[in-house]
Amino acid sequence: MSFNNPKIAIYGLGYIGLPTAALFATSGLKVTGVARNKKRLELINQGKSPIEEPGLDELVAKAVSMENLKATDKGEASAEEADVMIVIVPTPMDKFKRADLDAVKSTCKTISKGLKKGNLVIIESTVPQGTCQNIVIPILEESGLKAGDDFGVAYTPERAIPNNTLYEMTHNARVIGGIDDESADMAITLYQRITEGEIIKVSNLITAETVKLIENTFRDVNIALANEIAMICEGIGVDAIEAINTANHHPRVNIHTPGPGVGGHCLAIDPYFIVETAEEHGMEAPIIRTCRNTNEGMPNHVTKLIIDALTEAGKNLRDSTIGILGVAYKGNVDDARETPAEPLIRILKEKGADVYAHDPLVSDNQIEDLGAIPSDYEVALGCDCVVLVTEHDFYKDIRPEMIKNKVFVCTRSILNLDDYKNNTLIFKGVGKPNN
Ligand code: SAJ
């Protein structure tokens, strides 16, 4: 294999797979992207991005016009032609809160059929610790080749944040671990083509897997702490945001921001992968589990705030309309995966409320899938209780007089609290002192 100009096959053309493919292609390498969704393949081959991400459309257009990126559903043939195969497929959680590795396993099976001596297989999907060694490598070795002797294996987690993916992919530090030094070094040479960021080589595959999981777990645990502080502050009449922001002036304190719960395909899932691995080894992870419970409990807490606010207004949740502002899992993204809006909508409906939802970025179909009635901004603002769930910039200019029925619950810290004092509005919020 020529490592000056390896041919690459990337399995998975999603939020991370497609930008990775486009970056390698525009760096001058021949890249084949493999995915199943025909519509997605068509769009990419026309030089268009099926994913909303700043700069991605232009990058895909450039990669395709350079004739360096093509998308296909032929996984085995792509492996036969490639020198390096990169796996960036989703690893969701099943109903038992364990990693669903089906996509990783079937992709590795496909790759094993086209694997040749001298190839390098790189895994980027987030996986429980030990997956590369115990699951990926045995599947790849079904090819009859031996990992380490005949082909290389490396793990490098994706760590870019949606909405700033391209910048973070090309500037964040990258972590790489290999089955051996040669594998790690080959992967480092490859990623140096697309990143200006530092590349950190760790001891082995499992260390690299662990790094990814503990990063997101740190954030989830920290947010759980912020949420617990917020709920206590509400009860004792302290503005939690003021307290947290002030505490964060201390040089060694960085408390995260409370909210309606933790969504997205990473923080709400990855901590469970550590719990799973710990339990498989006869251990427990009580802190991580408790923090997950706290964050998963936030939609219940928000429901309580809504009930309290409506009660003050002399209304019943059962007979009320609720207007949700924002269903995306966080501000300024169009992504509603694992959004805390979903359990909130479910709980409110179970309690008999009619739930309307507005989101400037998420489609009406997705809003329906989440269980709410898609509505205009004005309709949501006209409900018996308005609940701000996502901190889209679009909502930053919301003013008390826009809340028609004068009952407002805010789960994010984007509004100026002073605006909500001393007026007739019934206002409650996560981490806001009860008025
Ligand atoms: N959230 C809070 N309070 C905070 C920060 C976040 O409630 O102070 C909530 C958000 O509203 C959202 C969820 O947590 O619902 C997750 O948001 P996020 O911005 O922390 O993270 P993600 O899921 O968009 O992306 C994370 C990032 N990981 C870290 O910052 C350590 C990203 O770099 C990773 O690439 C990504 O996970 C991933 O793919 O693992």
Side-chain angles (χ1 to χ4, degrees):
M1 152 173 67
S2 145
F3 245 94
N4 290 329
N5 264 324
K7 285 194 199 129
I8 301 187
I10 294 192
Y11 294 79
L13 293 173
Y15 288 86
I16 300 295
L18 181 58
T20 307
L23 284 171
F24 277 122
T26 50
S27 85
L29 298 181
K30 293 283 178 212
V31 179
T32 305
V34 183
R36 289 213 186 121
N37 185 313
K38 290 258 186 299
K39 181 110 196 72
R40 181 165 286 220
L41 295 175
E42 254 169 50
L43 278 173
I44 295 169
N45 284 327
Q46 289 163 9
K48 294 179 192 144
S49 167
I51 294 161
E52 278 291 328
E53 178 64 42
L56 188 56
D57 228 4
E58 293 83 338
L59 198 70
V60 170
K62 187 170 167 204
V64 171
S65 74
M66 288 168 78
E67 296 188 1
N68 277 352
L69 175 64
K70 62 176 199 289
T72 172
D73 56 2
K74 309 257 177 311
E76 201 178 314
S78 302
E80 277 165 13
E81 282 168 20
D83 302 306
V84 179
M85 299 81 161
I86 305 179
V87 179
I88 319 185
V89 294
T91 47
M93 200 171 56
D94 67 19
K95 61 176 191 262
F96 305 109
K97 300 196 188 293
R98 297 176 65 85
D100 173 352
L101 295 174
D102 284 355
V104 169
K105 287 182 192 165
S106 70
T107 305
C108 289
K109 231 178 179 37
T110 304
I111 292 174
S112 77
K113 291 181 187 152
L115 195 64
K116 303 160 301 299
K117 271 198 169 184
N119 286 169
L120 173 66
V121 180
I122 300 175
I123 310 295
E124 282 208 31
S125 302
T126 304
V127 291
Q129 295 130 293
T131 301
C132 285
Q133 197 63 52
N134 304 329
I135 293 175
V136 167
I137 289 175
I139 296 176
L140 295 174
E141 287 185 336
E142 287 172 12
S143 60
L145 301 175
K146 180 107 187 67
D149 294 343
D150 298 322
F151 65 93
V153 181
Y155 182 79
T156 178
E158 59 84 3
R159 298 153 93 208
I161 200 129
N163 228 15
N164 199 24
T165 298
L166 289 176
Y167 179 85
E168 292 213 345
M169 268 192 182
T170 49
H171 292 82
N172 284 2
R174 182 168 277 274
V175 176
I176 295 184
I179 185 172
D180 50 25
D181 266 345
E182 203 189 341
S183 298
D185 291 341
M186 284 200 293
I188 289 170
T189 308
L190 189 66
Y191 281 90
Q192 270 165 347
R193 299 185 70 105
I194 61 166
T195 183
E196 293 172 28
E198 187 187 356
I199 300 190
I200 304 160
K201 178 165 140 184
V202 294
S203 307
N204 46 34
L205 295 164
I206 195 169
T207 305
E209 291 167 339
T210 301
V211 169
K212 165 73 187 193
L213 297 178
I214 63 177
E215 287 169 358
N216 282 342
T217 300
F218 160 78
R219 234 168 135 68
D220 194 50
V221 167
N222 195 327
I223 297 165
L225 173 67
N227 283 334
E228 187 167 304
I229 290 168
M231 291 185 281
I232 294 169
C233 284
E234 284 164 29
I236 59 174
V238 170
D239 177 357
I241 304 303
E242 184 189 359
I244 288 172
N245 287 347
T246 311
N248 284 348
H249 278 87
H250 187 289
R252 286 177 295 283
V253 175
N254 173 24
I255 303 170
H256 288 6
T257 313
V262 168
H265 55 301
C266 309
L267 269 65
I269 295 175
D270 297 359
Y272 282 120
F273 290 6
I274 300 189
V275 173
E276 177 179 337
T277 310
E279 287 179 355
E280 274 170 14
H281 287 76
M283 294 175 282
E284 286 176 9
I287 293 175
I288 298 173
R289 217 180 239 294
T290 302
C291 291
R292 273 283 75 231
N293 289 341
T294 303
N295 290 337
E296 285 179 4
M298 290 311 288
N300 273 315
H301 178 68
V302 175
T303 305
K304 182 181 170 296
L305 294 175
I306 295 169
I307 292 173
D308 290 351
L310 283 168
T311 306
E312 264 179 50
K315 292 181 183 169
N316 253 324
L317 178 59
R318 201 172 351 104
D319 307 314
S320 296
T321 54
I322 307 293
I324 304 272
L325 299 183
V327 297
Y329 80 90
K330 67 176 185 180
N332 305 318
V333 299
D334 64 352
D335 191 340
R337 284 178 293 177
E338 310 291 327
T339 173
E342 185 168 26
L344 177 64
I345 291 165
R346 193 188 60 241
I347 297 165
L348 293 170
K349 282 172 64 182
E350 278 165 9
K351 293 187 181 297
D354 288 333
V355 184
Y356 294 79
H358 167 264
D359 193 299
L361 301 178
V362 177
S363 72
D364 284 357
N365 281 345
Q366 276 178 285
I367 291 178
E368 255 165 20
D369 288 346
L370 296 170
I373 304 162
S375 77
D376 293 343
Y377 192 29
E378 282 304 310
V379 172
L381 288 170
C383 287
D384 293 319
C385 176
V386 177
V387 186
L388 188 134
V389 174
T390 308
E391 73 280 30
H392 290 311
D393 284 347
F394 183 91
Y395 297 129
K396 277 193 173 147
D397 298 329
I398 197 166
R399 307 272 321 145
E401 48 280 12
M402 291 161 69
I403 315 283
K404 296 200 189 86
N405 288 307
K406 304 278 172 225
V407 183
F408 185 33
V409 171
C410 183
T411 71
R412 301 282 189 174
S413 54
I414 56 165
L415 306 175
N416 181 1
L417 260 191
D418 290 339
D419 291 347
Y420 291 83
K421 286 180 189 147
N422 309 320
N423 63 43
T424 55
L425 194 79
I426 296 170
F427 177 69
K428 302 211 178 285
V430 173
K432 315 278 188 299
N434 264 325
N435 66 3

